[in-house]
Amino acid sequence: AMGNQEESYVAAGHSELSSVLTDAGAKVLDNAYVDVEICGNLLRVGGMYDYAFGLDGNNTASKAPEEIRKFLENFQNINRAKVMISHRPDSFIFGDASSYWDIDLVVSGHVHGGQVVIPFLGGLYGMDQGWFPEYVHGTYIKDRLQLFLTSGLGSADEVLPRFNNRPEIAVLTLV
């Protein structure tokens, strides 16, 4: 799934990014999904960048833009474990999206672990979540879904420089 760094790269005129990734063997999931079998386990893995709700003042999932709503309705319409790679965790923590959509696990980044980590207090800034965000790093349960946030490798230096917050590459084992 694309993130804001990749979106910026494409907006800067590098429209070949998806084909470069595909040619390298990656599967680009931009409002798309694949059904896979891993060690006998059936999974549906999807990817999206947009919000999973409508910008109606209440962040109502049923009022998501038609393209997103149709994608998520199709994505959830299967009897297998569903994993969504969503750059923004906010897509599923704001409004009623975490109780509306039938998704088992959402994997996200975007908030960079809170950008600056203050000992005993946690992350300082969480992008759309603002100052002292609730969801910054690790695993959370929100309504009917699990949410995993990685601190990732990047930094939002235009907001705050990354400080006391080691970059990470997370490896998840699904059981």
Side-chain angles (χ1 to χ4, degrees):
M2 298 285 196
N4 45 312
Q5 287 82 10
E6 293 82 11
E7 294 286 335
S8 297
Y9 189 75
V10 170
H14 302 282
S15 59
E16 75 283 354
L17 179 60
S18 286
S19 61
V20 169
L21 292 170
T22 302
D23 291 347
K27 179 74 175 173
V28 177
L29 298 174
D30 187 17
N31 291 345
Y33 58 84
V34 293
D35 293 327
V36 297
E37 182 176 342
I38 301 172
C39 298
N41 298 299
L42 301 175
L43 297 172
R44 175 164 280 180
V45 180
M48 63 180 285
Y49 178 75
D50 296 308
Y51 294 114
F53 50 78
L55 299 176
D56 63 348
N58 293 317
N59 301 327
T60 307
S62 63
K63 295 185 179 176
E66 184 176 356
E67 177 185 341
I68 298 300
R69 190 176 40 76
K70 285 183 177 181
F71 163 65
L72 289 169
E73 286 170 352
N74 288 333
F75 176 78
Q76 70 183 8
N77 190 20
I78 196 164
N79 187 19
R80 58 172 62 198
K82 295 170 282 286
V83 178
M84 179 64 69
I85 302 168
S86 175
H87 181 73
R88 296 180 176 124
D90 316 314
S91 293
F92 292 92
I93 61 174
F94 291 165
D96 64 349
S98 61
S99 62
Y100 187 85
W101 300 113
D102 182 16
I103 298 172
D104 299 301
L105 173 65
V106 174
V107 179
S108 294
H110 190 59
V111 297
H112 305 280
Q115 198 64 20
V116 171
V117 175
I118 300 172
F120 308 108
L121 291 177
L124 181 63
Y125 187 72
M127 307 310 173
D128 292 345
Q129 294 178 68
W131 297 100
F132 298 102
E134 182 176 355
Y135 302 93
V136 291
H137 181 261
T139 304
Y140 302 88
I141 303 292
K142 175 112 170 75
D143 299 317
R144 69 187 329 182
L145 62 80
Q146 290 186 68
L147 177 66
F148 176 78
L149 274 78
T150 176
S151 293
L153 301 173
S155 181
D157 290 333
E158 66 277 1
V159 177
L160 293 168
R162 191 173 185 131
F163 180 75
N164 199 28
N165 180 5
R166 295 179 68 161
E168 77 172 346
I169 296 175
V171 176
L172 298 177
T173 302
L174 304 177
V175 290

